[in-house]
Amino acid sequence: MSNGDIWIIGASMTTFGRFPDKDLIDLAAEAALDALRDSDMSIHDMDILTMGNVYEANSHNGQRLQKQIGQTGIPVYNVVNACATGATALRVALLSIKAGESDVGLAVGVEKMGKSGLIGGAAKKRDSKKIYQPNGRYGSVLKTEGILGTGIMPGVFAQAGTEYALAHGVTAEQFARVAQKNHAHSVLNPLAHYRKEFSLADILGAEVIAFPNTLPMCCPNTDGAAAVVIVSDAKLRTLDPDIRRRAVKISASVMTSDPWVEGGLVQPDVSTLTRQAAATAYEQAGIGPEDLDLVELHDCFATAELIHYDNLGLCEPGGAGDFIDSGAPWRDGSTPVNVSGGLLSKGHPLGATGLATQMGCDLVDIGDAGDRQIEGAKVGLTHVIGLASACAVHVLEARSS
């Protein structure tokens, strides 16, 4: 068992967008090789490879990637865990290092989504013939989608936002301000799918997808890949001084799933597992939310970001509406949130998202993020949630010396 710290020494993501001329492995190889170059290493230095992907998860993508970047005989783990797939791939590599089986690991996440349409439980082929008799695990006579809650993503997060709004007096305009902020932030991110500012009036006046979320308040389906190289503390001490200077410590790595909650079988609960993951991560890292200089959280919809302000303890309980109104989560605010543009602008390639949020240069001030850098930021938190359900929270810290 390794008791030392674990460090990110290389990170990369492709531009997020739509790439009809590149396949899944092309994108994964681009991110992987760039992360290896960033770490001043090659595939021959890796002790483990983890590969996250959702839509082609049965294709042995880690082994296919090896054929592109180098087959060295190391263990390969193919990972799928909904929107938390990339973060899960990172944790598999991290746990291997903690177990003492590896010193160096490469975690990759990739997705080819194109224009795949709405995602979730309702996005299934209709039965060709209706048979009205009990069927399936729960003995349903009729499909329950839209009757007992919803499993389609815009509806899930619209419902979660609406419940929070009714309990705490949040307005549609406050939800829209989240999208206004993230689209403004994206202008500085050359890797984002969309790089366009929207006025509040534009956002509120756009097509409603699932109230209160309009089209600019929903993340786009996207192609893309991301990768990180992580090392043990003992290995870091043997590396070039410049690599050591730029290393980012993983101070906490936590994953949770849904506990039982009343109503959880009707409507997914996106809050409880996030609150539990955040509380454990703060305890692991020995910090509180007040110590965060920067946050990248899972804003698949504007409503999701706002309620996660509360779930992550960034504001007073029930105070997420006031938090966005205060300007605190803007890049020049007290707790910048999603300075990358978030999923709303950057895009959300499911397998890559959880690794794209880990890119230390976007989180802490090591001088590599150009115009996006938040000056003086030393402690950052990343959060990703995939239904139903897996939540990962990581705390990252710049090297102190």
Side-chain angles (χ1 to χ4, degrees), residues 96-154:
S96 178
I97 294 175
K98 279 188 172 293
E101 292 186 352
S102 307
D103 278 322
V104 188
L106 172 63
V108 184
V110 62
E111 209 71 59
K112 282 278 291 185
M113 297 181 71
K115 295 186 176 182
S116 55
L118 296 178
I119 297 172
K124 297 178 180 177
K125 184 178 179 181
R126 293 181 180 274
D127 292 336
S128 58
K129 183 179 181 181
K130 295 184 182 299
I131 300 175
Y132 296 101
Q133 63 184 29
N135 185 42
R137 179 179 294 276
Y138 303 109
S140 301
V141 175
L142 296 171
K143 289 184 180 295
T144 58
E145 173 63 37
I147 300 173
L148 295 175
T150 181
I152 198 165
M153 294 302 102

Side-chain angles (χ1 to χ4, degrees), residues 127-270:
D127 292 336
S128 58
K129 183 179 181 181
K130 295 184 182 299
I131 300 175
Y132 296 101
Q133 63 184 29
N135 185 42
R137 179 179 294 276
Y138 303 109
S140 301
V141 175
L142 296 171
K143 289 184 180 295
T144 58
E145 173 63 37
I147 300 173
L148 295 175
T150 181
I152 198 165
M153 294 302 102
V156 168
F157 287 96
Q159 178 68 17
T162 298
E163 289 177 0
Y164 190 89
L166 292 174
H168 302 296
V170 174
T171 66
E173 184 173 296
Q174 288 171 318
F175 285 123
R177 284 200 181 106
V178 171
Q180 182 186 24
K181 169 183 70 71
N182 290 356
H183 287 297
H185 287 171
S186 74
V187 173
L188 294 175
N189 186 355
L191 302 179
H193 189 146
Y194 295 127
R195 301 180 66 194
K196 178 182 177 181
E197 291 194 61
F198 291 85
S199 70
L200 200 60
D202 288 338
I203 294 168
L204 289 168
E207 177 186 1
V208 175
I209 303 301
F211 184 83
N213 290 312
T214 64
L215 185 59
M217 299 164 72
C218 304
C219 66
N221 295 332
T222 306
D223 303 340
V228 299
V229 176
I230 61 174
V231 300
S232 65
D233 194 61
K235 182 67 175 180
L236 182 71
R237 290 196 295 268
T238 70
L239 300 180
D240 182 89
D242 187 59
I243 296 294
R244 297 201 302 270
R245 177 190 64 80
R246 296 189 296 108
V248 175
K249 182 170 72 171
I250 304 176
S251 297
S253 176
V254 177
M255 180 163 282
T256 57
S257 62
D258 287 330
W260 184 90
V261 296
E262 188 174 358
L265 293 178
V266 174
Q267 188 70 29
D269 169 27
V270 302

Side-chain angles (χ1 to χ4, degrees), residues 67-86:
K67 291 179 180 179
Q68 191 103 337
I69 67 174
Q71 293 172 276
T72 61
I74 59 174
V76 174
Y77 293 85
N78 291 292
V79 177
V80 58
N81 212 3
C83 301
T85 291

